[in-house]
Amino acid sequence: MFSFLDMVNHYLGYFNINVTLKSRIYTVLGFFGDIYLFYISFRFLQNQMFTKGIPILLVAIILLYFTVCNFYYYFTKKQPWFDISPKIAKALHIQEHPRETQVESKMGTTVISEERNVPANGLFDDQHLLPAKIEVSPTQQANIDRLVAQMEQQQLFQADYNGMNDRKIFELLKVNSKPVYAIGKGVLMPYFEMKKQGSSLIVYCGLNQAEIYPVGEIKRVGLQSVKSLDLTQVKLYLASVTLVGGPYKQIGRAGVIEAPQDFKLRAMLAYKKL
C-alpha cells in the first residue's frame, strides 16, 4: 500500500497540474492509506500483539485527524471547529498575515502597506487619469535597474516577499496561479517627471530632482497613441510612476520556485482639456 502511494506521489510530480487538484488527490489517497493502517492495527490487536498494534492505531488516529482537516480545507470553504492549528500558532507566537493581505496576494501580488502613498506630483482626480504605455530601450532599462539598486540601498522597499516563506506563498498561489512578486504590488518612484522632446514624451525618474535619468518613452495614453493626440487641445500631466515586476515566485514541479524578470514601470497620466 505504501509503495503504491509513494509511486503515485512520484508520478504526480511529473505533471504540472492544478495544485488544489493535486492536494485533493493526495488527501483521498491518504485517506485510503489511513484505512490500511487501521486494518493492520486491528489485526495486531486481534492477535494480542499490543506492543505493535497500539502504536500503529495511535498513528492512524492522528493521521485520520489531519486527513479530515484536509478534507475540510481542500474540498470545502469551511474550517473545522476541531482544528487546533490556530491554537498552536498562538502558543508558538506565529503571526499570521491578515485576511486582507491574503486577498491582495491572491491577485498575484504580495502585501503592501494599506497607507496611501502620495505621489511626488500631488493628487489628481481619478476620473481624469489614464494608464500610459511606456516603451523602454536597453539604455533606459539599465537606468531603471540602477534606480532599483539605489532605492533598495536607501531602504525604500524590501524585495523579500513581505517576509513570507515559501509555505505561505504556496498557499496563496493555490488560490490564484498569478505569480507573487518580491516587491509586492509595486513601489512608487521617489521622483518623476515628463519632458517633451520633439514629438516624444520622455519619462525621467530619480531619487530626487537633482539626479534623474530617462527611463522610458510614453507611446500610448489610454487607447490613443501619443502621435494621434492633439496636445493643443489637451494638457497631459504625469500623475504617478510605479516600479513593478522584478523577481517573482510561482509553483513548479518541486514546489515554489523563483524566476527572474526585469523591473518595469507603470505610469498614470492626468489630462485637462484646454
Side-chain angles (χ1 to χ4, degrees), residues 61-103:
I61 293 173
I62 295 173
L63 291 178
L64 178 62
Y65 166 79
F66 288 111
T67 300
V68 174
C69 288
N70 281 343
F71 266 108
Y72 272 92
Y73 184 78
Y74 292 113
F75 290 89
T76 72
K77 295 183 179 180
K78 299 178 181 179
Q79 184 175 0
W81 61 269
F82 48 82
D83 185 8
I84 63 173
S85 56
K87 295 181 180 179
I88 295 177
K90 184 178 180 180
L92 297 177
H93 303 286
I94 300 174
Q95 182 64 37
E96 288 288 336
H97 292 274
R99 183 169 297 275
E100 291 77 15
T101 292
Q102 295 184 15
V103 171

Side-chain angles (χ1 to χ4, degrees), residues 140 193-204 212-218 226 231:
Q140 292 166 340
E193 63 180 59
M194 181 175 63
K195 296 183 180 180
K196 192 173 185 301
Q197 297 179 357
S199 59
S200 302
L201 297 177
I202 307 299
V203 177
Y204 286 77
I212 57 177
Y213 308 96
V215 293
E217 178 184 353
I218 296 177
V226 172
L231 298 182

Side-chain angles (χ1 to χ4, degrees), residues 165-178:
N165 56 27
D166 285 351
R167 181 178 179 181
K168 185 65 179 179
I169 294 174
F170 182 80
E171 292 177 358
L172 298 177
L173 289 171
K174 287 191 302 183
V175 181
N176 194 309
S177 59
K178 294 182 180 179

Side-chain angles (χ1 to χ4, degrees), residues 94-165:
I94 300 174
Q95 182 64 37
E96 288 288 336
H97 292 274
R99 183 169 297 275
E100 291 77 15
T101 292
Q102 295 184 15
V103 171
E104 294 294 339
S105 298
K106 289 174 187 177
M107 299 304 294
T109 62
T110 53
V111 183
I112 62 171
S113 174
E114 292 296 330
E115 297 180 0
R116 187 177 184 184
N117 291 326
V118 179
N121 289 6
L123 298 176
F124 292 89
D125 187 352
D126 290 343
Q127 296 182 351
H128 294 86
L129 290 177
L130 292 171
K133 180 181 179 181
I134 300 179
E135 186 176 282
V136 179
S137 68
T139 301
Q140 292 166 340
Q141 182 64 52
N143 290 336
I144 294 175
D145 295 337
R146 181 190 310 174
L147 286 172
V148 169
Q150 293 176 351
M151 291 170 64
E152 193 166 13
Q153 185 178 10
Q154 294 294 326
Q155 298 183 346
L156 297 180
F157 70 88
Q158 291 182 340
D160 62 349
Y161 297 93
N162 196 52
M164 294 188 295
N165 56 27

Side-chain angles (χ1 to χ4, degrees), residues 32-50:
F32 287 109
D34 198 36
I35 291 178
Y36 181 68
L37 285 179
F38 275 107
Y39 170 76
I40 293 177
S41 63
F42 288 144
R43 290 302 301 267
F44 277 130
L45 294 175
Q46 285 177 350
N47 294 316
Q48 297 184 349
M49 301 177 67
F50 300 108

